[in-house]
Amino acid sequence: MRLSGAAAALGLLCTATASLHPRRSYETRDYFALHLDAAASPVDIAQRLGGRHEGQIGELDGHHTFSLPKESGADLDALLEDLQTKRKLRRRHTGDNAGVLDNEEESLAGILWSQKLAPKKRLEKRVPPSEQFTRVVTRDKKENVEAVQARSELVSTLGIADPIFEAQWHLFNTLEVGHDMNVSGVWLEGITGKGATAAIVDDGLDMYSNDLSPNYFPEGSYDFNDHTPEPRPRLRDDRHGTRCAGEVAAARNDVCGVGVAYDSRVSGIRILSGAIDDTDEASAINYAYQKNDIYSCSWGPPDDGATMEAPGILIKRAMVNGVQKGRGGKGSIFVFAAGNGASSGDNCNFDGYTNSIYSITVGAIDREGKHASYSESCSAQLVVAYSSGGTDAIHTTDVGTDKCYSLHGGTSAAGPLVVGAMALVLSVRPELTWRDAQYLMVETAVPIYEDDGSWQNTKSGQKFSHDWGFGKVDIYSLVQKAKTWELVKPQAWYHSPWLRVQHKIPQGDKGLAAMFQVSKKMVKDANIARLEHVTVTMNVNHTRRGDLSVELRSPEGVVSHLSTARKNDDTEAGYVDWTFMTVAHWGESGVGTWTVVVKDTEVNDNVGEFLDWRLNLWGEAANASKQKLHPLPDEHDDDHNIEDAIVVTTTVQPAPTATQPPDQPSHTVDRPVNTKPASTDSKPSGSSTPTPSPASDSFLPSFFPTFGASKHTQIWIYAAIGSIIVFCVGLGIYFQIQRRRRLRNDRDDYDFEMIEDEDEAKAMNGSSTRRRGGELYNAFAGESEEEPLFSDEDDDDEPYRDQAASPNPRRSGSADLDDTQRDRT
Ligand SMILES: *[C@@H]1O[C@H](CO)[C@@H](O)[C@H](O)[C@H]1NC(C)=O
Ligand SMILES: *[C@@H]1O[C@H](CO)[C@@H](O)[C@H](O)[C@H]1NC(C)=O
Ligand SMILES: *[C@@H]1O[C@H](CO)[C@@H](O)[C@H](O)[C@H]1NC(C)=O
């Protein structure tokens, strides 16, 4: 590229500041990510391809981006595809990549792997679904006098002058005493996060907020949407990241509240404000990974109960690269929000980020400790933390010099509280590895609603529930345990061979069970002392994916519901090399018979076949000195011929499922953790009954309210209550939207009294009792009447689409949710 004079100087300047992650011009060029072998030089490759070397992909050694003008891009694409196909065929025949190269391949020698890049906007912020703020708030509870007294002492001892601190119930709850993060004792010991750094990977971070500027860490920050060093919010809905950052590291000063780790540093990595390609996403999660300790990720694929999506291979590699090389080899700590799709029947095992063994997956509970109606369950969920739901939400910092926000929520808000907890831990024990972090979570989480029928005893010594993980994070216990925690040995693993089933899946109550025996020798040879994560990769073909469910039973009798049936998932496919994850087998030996049971509970024309699977055990090494690091994931990891797979024992297990009475023992009872016909929040307010489970596992007694009815009837009752509420809510929202369109600026006469007005809350120092109307829809659509952030940029975002709401209650609810996630103003 030729530039002259001042333009050249300017160009140089720009390259200097953004050289590592140049802005792409997808309109005129095609981009390719290539993995090169160690001997290949990127410059050389660029020349041979007739393209431009754009640089290394983040921190991934040997991975580079190249670009070509669009005219020649298609040819290269075809060439590279061809190369991959040839290699695949050859691998199938000879079992490796070697062999005779033809001329075409000669010119592409040195290229191990390639991917044509495309900018995608597919990740969504995990903001709360709309339903949750629609109940009329009745504050009949009285503050606990002793708790109020204790808080006053805390405030004066620590010199907290933050105006909304008293509204930050998640830090110190004086109403529902005990329902907070239990952090104050740690602060009093002087542990406030000094020296630890959390990166908020999100839509931006307002480093000019007086609440965040004292702790903002520019060296760990970058904007991958606009390719500038400063991840400043630029679109009018760029507020989510700032709110998450406030939960972690809002300073102890005179603005808003405080973060869990109010003396920790906080970086912003902006990726959610536009489409990004896989190289940028991979770079983002490794960005400054020697300086950023924790990556806070409150986003993921859509939580619509129909999506099943895992990150691409580059991102998977970056995650493993992060845990292996980040933080001086101790490993980056990734924290992911579990997802908000519970009311759409979603489950966090259908999301390849939340079900990664490398992430701490966090679900949400409300200020009474109840399971938040939106929070997804799954066997990969490690812990839960507080967030919106019931009568309140999280109070935190907002975009603006001294703006606060009182309606932050969703699993989006639960994750950052755990990020803050980890920042406190690392400020005391910086040498803990990413796995020590997970162990500490497992060992110190506190079970809640232990009698709800969802808990089972595990070999870790802790109880596990698909709804609550190992329980809620208690920062005091967490940090105390961390102080003297002995570091675990490195990670070891065992990958079973592919196990062939090739058997029709029976419909209805029966399940197709496939067994695999793990011997003592296998575990010993794999150098595994005790299990942590277990993953199962499987292939099932089916004409309706949502009908399927899968459970895994360990030799110790612990049951993981790897997958649950999803009413919204009409996809005409089964599972293709999909990997499910569970943490329920933490602490087991792994030795004995593992059983996978695949079920198709819907009796209909949609049928399928369980093809094959493999079991992967991950755990702590027995002998540290001989343990190597796991290779980075490879796109061929799951390549296999089903004909070569080992045939395993299968049985069709007769057992009732949905009609099973809760406490009648059975081995194939499906407990659809995520298909609750109605959620806690749908019940009359004030009810303290735990989350109902429509069907419970045979190993566990269940005590959810039955209304003295049969299971079918109960489901019907719950569903009916749920539908009525959803319908009313939908109608309410619909009319409210209509009204808002008409009365854009006149909202004082709105007759609901519900959602706290922020300015009012500030004025009242957060002692929130009065609520004012007019903010209801804002909770979902954003706060459009606040001054637009940088209004000239608004058009970059998708248009405001509240007209998508329809009077149909179901549809309207989900349409609102979609709008909320795309465009919260
Ligand atoms: C919270 O922390 C205190 C110490 O500050 C500790 O005594 C207590 O057991 C912890 N848990 C709860 C639920 O209060
Ligand atoms: C499932 O796999 C079998 C072969 O194993 C094939 O005959 C059948 O057509 C497949 N069904 C679907 C729905 O893909
Ligand atoms: C651990 O592995 C190392 C290296 O392979 C070996 O020399 C050592 O004897 C092993 N230790 C034990 C206790 O087996």
Side-chain angles (χ1 to χ4, degrees):
M1 189 191 290
R2 292 209 168 270
L3 295 164
S4 62
L10 194 67
L12 266 177
L13 202 71
C14 294
T15 338
T17 52
S19 58
L20 277 176
H21 311 278
R23 188 190 283 276
R24 313 237 186 272
S25 18
Y26 273 104
E27 307 75 31
T28 56
R29 301 184 74 80
D30 280 339
Y31 291 83
F32 296 86
L34 303 185
H35 183 200
L36 307 180
D37 73 30
S41 123
V43 177
D44 205 41
I45 295 280
Q47 226 158 34
R48 269 194 276 153
L49 300 180
R52 188 163 79 197
H53 176 223
E54 301 278 344
Q56 184 176 309
I57 300 169
E59 299 286 350
L60 287 171
D61 291 340
H63 294 68
H64 299 264
T65 308
F66 297 86
S67 75
L68 279 82
K70 267 215 176 324
E71 311 84 78
S72 26
D75 292 343
L76 178 63
D77 191 29
L79 208 62
L80 289 169
E81 292 253 319
D82 194 36
L83 178 72
Q84 308 223 14
T85 314
K86 277 183 196 158
R87 283 185 179 161
K88 194 165 189 166
L89 285 173
R90 199 157 50 227
R91 206 174 10 252
R92 195 164 286 172
H93 295 304
T94 65
D96 65 44
N97 250 327
V100 196
L101 299 178
D102 61 25
N103 284 345
E104 200 170 74
E105 284 176 277
E106 204 80 66
S107 74
L108 300 175
I111 299 176
L112 301 174
W113 167 89
S114 65
Q115 179 186 321
K116 184 160 187 263
L117 296 169
K120 284 173 296 180
K121 187 163 187 186
R122 55 179 187 83
L123 300 172
E124 297 186 351
K125 303 165 199 177
R126 290 188 161 160
V127 295
S130 45
E131 297 98 280
Q132 63 167 305
F133 290 121
T134 50
R135 276 205 280 141
V136 177
V137 173
T138 48
R139 271 294 153 78
D140 43 11
K141 284 190 193 154
K142 288 264 180 300
E143 283 191 298
N144 177 296
V145 180
E146 283 142 51
V148 171
Q149 176 65 27
R151 185 177 59 197
S152 304
E153 282 166 24
L154 179 75
V155 162
S156 72
T157 311
L158 298 175
I160 293 175
D162 297 69
I164 69 161
F165 179 68
E166 288 186 3
Q168 292 188 299
W169 57 268
H170 64 281
L171 299 175
F172 203 113
N173 195 340
T174 53
L175 212 51
E176 297 90 1
V177 177
H179 279 301
D180 55 39
M181 298 298 292
N182 204 21
V183 68
S184 56
V186 169
W187 289 343
L188 288 169
E189 294 177 357
I191 299 166
T192 52
K194 278 193 196 72
T197 308
I200 312 297
V201 185
D202 211 289
D203 64 7
L205 185 154
D206 189 359
M207 67 290 294
Y208 299 111
S209 154
N210 288 334
D211 215 10
L212 295 176
S213 60
N215 292 329
Y216 175 62
F217 185 57
E219 286 169 67
S221 302
Y222 193 77
D223 182 338
F224 284 90
N225 288 128
D226 284 290
H227 295 273
T228 60
E230 204 168 73
R232 191 160 51 86
R234 291 162 195 275
L235 304 178
R236 57 193 174 127
D237 78 339
D238 280 0
R239 295 166 178 275
H240 189 250
T242 301
R243 292 164 183 169
C244 292
E247 293 182 83
V248 178
R252 183 177 57 85
N253 57 10
D254 58 358
V255 186
C256 300
V258 295
V260 168
Y262 56 72
D263 285 324
S264 65
R265 290 180 301 204
V266 66
S267 312
I269 296 175
R270 186 165 176 259
I271 66 165
L272 298 182
S273 305
I276 61 165
D277 63 30
D278 279 12
T279 65
D280 278 341
E281 193 183 331
S283 307
I285 61 169
N286 284 167
Y287 191 77
Y289 69 172
Q290 302 310 340
K291 291 172 178 159
N292 289 324
D293 302 319
I294 310 159
Y295 291 79
S296 181
C297 305
S298 289
W299 42 265
D303 296 326
D304 51 13
T307 302
M308 187 167 191
E309 199 175 296
I313 191 76
L314 280 174
I315 298 151
K316 280 188 181 155
R317 283 187 196 177
M319 255 176 127
V320 180
N321 196 47
V323 301
Q324 293 186 347
K325 293 196 192 148
R327 231 161 37 89
K330 296 294 180 185
S332 306
I333 294 168
F334 296 105
V335 176
F336 273 86
N340 298 343
S343 53
S344 314
D346 215 340
N347 175 294
C348 31
N349 238 325
F350 290 88
D351 167 342
Y353 295 90
T354 50
N355 86 357
S356 163
I357 64 170
Y358 308 108
S359 85
I360 293 175
T361 297
V362 184
I365 52 177
D366 69 17
R367 65 176 291 165
E368 291 172 351
K370 289 181 190 160
H371 188 92
S373 58
Y374 52 80
S375 188
E376 292 175 28
S377 302
C378 71
S379 58
Q381 172 170 239
L382 200 64
V383 288
V384 292
Y386 291 97
S387 185
S388 60
T391 58
D392 213 339
I394 298 294
H395 300 244
T396 180
T397 315
D398 205 349
V399 172
T401 25
D402 52 7
K403 286 267 181 197
C404 316
Y405 190 56
S406 57
L407 295 171
H408 190 43
T411 50
S412 267
L417 297 180
V418 175
V419 171
M422 277 318 304
L424 295 173
V425 165
L426 292 183
S427 73
V428 194
R429 293 291 307 278
E431 75 280 21
L432 297 177
T433 69
W434 67 277
R435 284 168 45 254
D436 291 309
Q438 295 201 16
Y439 270 98
L440 286 167
M441 291 288 160
V442 170
E443 299 215 357
T444 64
V446 181
I448 27 181
Y449 294 116
E450 275 183 84
D451 57 358
D452 74 347
S454 74
W455 296 89
Q456 45 184 331
N457 291 316
T458 73
K459 284 285 155 180
S460 66
Q462 307 299 117
K463 287 182 173 179
F464 177 81
S465 156
H466 290 76
D467 296 335
W468 321 86
F470 285 96
K472 65 164 181 163
V473 173
D474 179 299
I475 293 180
Y476 188 79
S477 327
L478 178 75
V479 173
Q480 299 316 314
K481 190 113 195 174
K483 285 179 183 168
T484 55
W485 181 256
E486 204 175 307
L487 266 58
V488 293
K489 291 180 186 155
Q491 185 189 44
W493 64 87
Y494 168 75
H495 300 309
S496 83
W498 279 96
L499 306 166
R500 184 166 154 194
V501 179
Q502 269 187 323
H503 196 294
K504 276 213 187 73
I505 302 161
Q507 290 201 327
D509 299 342
K510 298 186 172 77
L512 178 62
M515 260 81 79
F516 179 67
Q517 185 101 29
V518 173
S519 69
K520 269 198 175 123
K521 182 167 186 309
M522 289 173 188
V523 168
K524 187 163 179 284
D525 290 350
N527 194 26
I528 294 176
R530 54 172 169 167
L531 296 189
E532 294 158 7
H533 313 85
V534 175
T535 60
V536 170
T537 307
M538 56 198 304
N539 287 290
V540 173
N541 78 11
H542 203 276
T543 52
R544 188 180 185 277
R545 190 168 64 195
D547 290 359
L548 290 166
S549 59
V550 179
E551 65 182 57
L552 173 71
R553 277 186 243 138
S554 73
E556 306 279 0
V558 175
V559 178
S560 289
H561 293 273
L562 298 180
S563 139
T564 49
R566 298 195 299 173
K567 59 182 189 297
N568 291 355
D569 187 356
D570 290 324
T571 311
E572 274 182 57
Y575 306 144
V576 181
D577 288 333
W578 183 263
T579 300
F580 293 109
M581 193 271 271
T582 169
V583 292
H585 307 286
W586 206 279
E588 295 186 28
S589 73
V591 177
T593 303
W594 291 82
T595 309
V596 169
V597 183
V598 178
K599 283 190 252 177
D600 175 353
T601 43
E602 301 296 323
V603 181
N604 55 21
D605 291 341
N606 291 312
V607 292
E609 191 176 334
F610 181 6
L611 301 176
D612 58 9
W613 63 293
R614 79 194 295 193
L615 176 73
N616 305 292
L617 307 175
W618 306 83
E620 185 185 17
N623 182 345
S625 51
K626 74 173 189 200
Q627 186 58 51
K628 291 181 299 210
L629 287 175
H630 195 276
L632 291 190
D634 187 280
E635 62 161 358
H636 301 298
D637 284 348
D638 296 324
D639 286 1
H640 66 286
N641 290 319
I642 188 161
E643 294 78 29
D644 302 336
I646 295 175
V647 179
V648 291
T649 321
T650 57
T651 54
V652 173
Q653 302 212 344
T657 40
T659 51
Q660 177 78 16
D663 36 19
Q664 185 179 315
S666 152
H667 290 275
T668 46
V669 168
D670 198 7
R671 190 178 152 273
V673 285
N674 237 349
T675 50
K676 300 179 184 92
S679 64
T680 313
D681 279 356
S682 307
K683 287 189 291 173
S685 96
S687 157
S688 62
T689 342
T691 313
S693 309
S696 106
D697 194 280
S698 53
F699 297 103
L700 320 154
S702 166
F703 301 102
F704 63 87
T706 61
F707 306 109
S710 77
K711 179 147 291 183
H712 272 320
T713 315
Q714 290 161 34
I715 290 173
W716 189 87
I717 291 172
Y718 280 129
I721 294 173
S723 312
I724 291 166
I725 290 172
V726 169
F727 178 80
C728 297
V729 163
L731 218 55
I733 291 169
Y734 173 72
F735 287 125
Q736 173 64 357
I737 291 164
Q738 297 297 326
R739 178 178 207 108
R740 269 178 66 89
R741 274 203 222 129
R742 272 175 275 131
L743 312 172
R744 205 75 185 163
N745 297 312
D746 178 13
R747 48 191 181 81
D748 292 336
D749 60 340
Y750 183 54
D751 44 325
F752 269 58
E753 289 268 305
M754 235 172 265
I755 302 297
E756 194 170 10
D757 180 89
E758 292 162 46
D759 294 325
E760 211 175 307
K762 253 178 90 179
M764 292 187 309
N765 264 1
S767 53
S768 67
T769 40
R770 284 222 57 74
R771 292 179 177 241
R772 202 187 74 147
E775 297 277 349
L776 169 62
Y777 189 69
N778 293 352
F780 334 132
E783 35 304 317
S784 55
E785 56 294 291
E786 279 183 33
E787 80 277 37
L789 216 39
F790 301 99
S791 46
D792 54 321
E793 303 247 14
D794 286 356
D795 295 340
D796 289 0
D797 208 11
E798 296 189 58
Y800 186 71
R801 302 201 320 160
D802 63 3
Q803 60 273 22
S806 82
N808 175 321
R810 277 279 167 208
R811 289 252 171 257
S812 131
S814 54
D816 283 345
L817 175 51
D818 288 343
D819 284 347
T820 305
Q821 290 180 329
R822 277 198 299 272
D823 185 352
R824 291 170 312 112
T825 314

